[in-house]
Amino acid sequence: MSDPVATSERERRQSHALEIADVSKRFRVAGRQVQALSHVHLAVGEGEFVSIVGSSGCGKSTLLRLVLGLDTDYDGEIRVDGQRVERPGLDRSIVFQEHRLLPWLNVEANVAAALRQSGLAAAERGQLVRDHLHLVGLEQFAKAYPAQLSGGMAQRVAIARALVTKPRFLLLDEPFGALDALTRLRLQDELQ
Ligand SMILES: Nc1ncnc2c1ncn2[C@@H]1O[C@H](COP(=O)(O)OP(=O)(O)OP(=O)(O)O)[C@@H](O)[C@H]1O
Ligand SMILES: [Mg+2]
């Protein structure tokens, strides 16, 4: 018979796809210690949509960078399905406040860049890129370069790039913050 304590621990972990357990993060800035995160706990279940709200500098972007696996120098633990996050992976995507598209690549190549590590065949990758440009309404702009897009269009490319790997976790770091109010409302609806 299985150990009831171990079983309930397993169930608890399964119900929380993402766990942020007692995470603290310090930076050294100009010889001074900055406490960016202090004992953060957060558990996110499958299919949940969680918003992190707080004043400028309170550590929101820092926390997302840790979840993405870009920085592993912190105290505490971040787990996906009970496994410690050690590095970025195809299961986690992020959209930043600025689109961060590569200016020398056209729209379809920017989206395709996310699939480089996917191991998929070229034809499959091409289809996924087309599907996701269609999803964000930019199939007509596949050959355009980032400098030829509006701010909202560029953010939609960034969303397509984040979704094309079909990640389990989509991290959004104020992705519509730089857009005008009407475009922001429309993209919030589209994204949902
Ligand atoms: N790479 C870094 N090096 C040093 N300090 C950093 C670094 N990144 C963030 N910090 C510091 O960590 C703290 C949290 O920054 P963070 O960017 O996470 O805030 P935020 O909540 O995302 O703010 P905003 O709403 O303005 O985007 C700030 O005091 C910042 O100066
Ligand atoms: Mg931020």
Side-chain angles (χ1 to χ4, degrees):
M1 209 172 113
S2 60
D3 173 1
V5 176
T7 305
S8 68
E9 172 66 10
R10 229 182 352 262
E11 279 166 4
R12 191 184 62 74
R13 286 191 169 189
Q14 273 167 357
S15 66
H16 294 142
L18 172 69
E19 288 171 291
I20 295 168
D22 200 22
V23 165
S24 299
K25 169 77 186 173
R26 272 189 309 273
F27 288 107
R28 182 161 275 281
V29 182
R32 215 168 48 85
Q33 295 271 4
V34 174
Q35 187 82 37
L37 298 169
S38 180
H39 304 288
V40 177
H41 293 267
L42 179 68
V44 182
E46 203 75 54
E48 266 191 295
F49 197 122
V50 175
S51 297
I52 301 170
V53 181
S55 57
S56 179
C58 78
K60 305 178 295 292
S61 297
T62 300
L63 187 62
L64 292 185
R65 284 174 53 82
L66 300 187
V67 172
L68 204 60
L70 288 176
D71 184 351
T72 52
D73 180 22
Y74 60 89
D75 295 320
E77 200 166 65
I78 297 178
R79 295 186 286 264
V80 169
D81 294 333
Q83 294 279 88
R84 192 188 169 105
V85 168
E86 306 275 10
R87 62 186 67 80
L90 289 170
D91 61 333
R92 282 156 284 133
S93 285
I94 192 163
V95 185
F96 294 102
Q97 183 160 4
E98 334 75 49
H99 55 74
R100 302 199 192 181
L101 299 176
L102 301 172
W104 59 90
L105 294 181
N106 68 21
V107 162
E108 67 181 4
N110 263 286
V111 177
L115 291 170
R116 269 185 204 149
Q117 309 289 324
S118 67
L120 296 173
E124 240 174 315
R125 279 183 282 163
Q127 189 59 51
L128 278 171
V129 170
R130 280 191 296 280
D131 290 348
H132 284 79
L133 288 181
H134 177 72
L135 183 73
V136 297
L138 288 176
E139 58 273 70
Q140 305 294 324
F141 289 86
K143 303 292 180 197
Y145 284 83
Q148 299 171 313
L149 305 176
S150 72
M153 289 160 78
Q155 276 311 59
R156 270 146 61 199
V157 179
I159 290 165
R161 178 180 58 185
L163 290 177
V164 75
T165 52
K166 301 188 191 299
R168 262 183 89 195
F169 302 96
L170 182 61
L171 309 174
L172 303 167
D173 196 356
E174 305 186 62
F176 307 135
L179 303 177
D180 65 86
L182 289 179
T183 309
R184 182 159 66 228
L185 284 174
R186 195 166 46 72
L187 286 185
Q188 279 170 347
D189 281 343
E190 277 182 27
L191 186 68
Q192 237 171 348

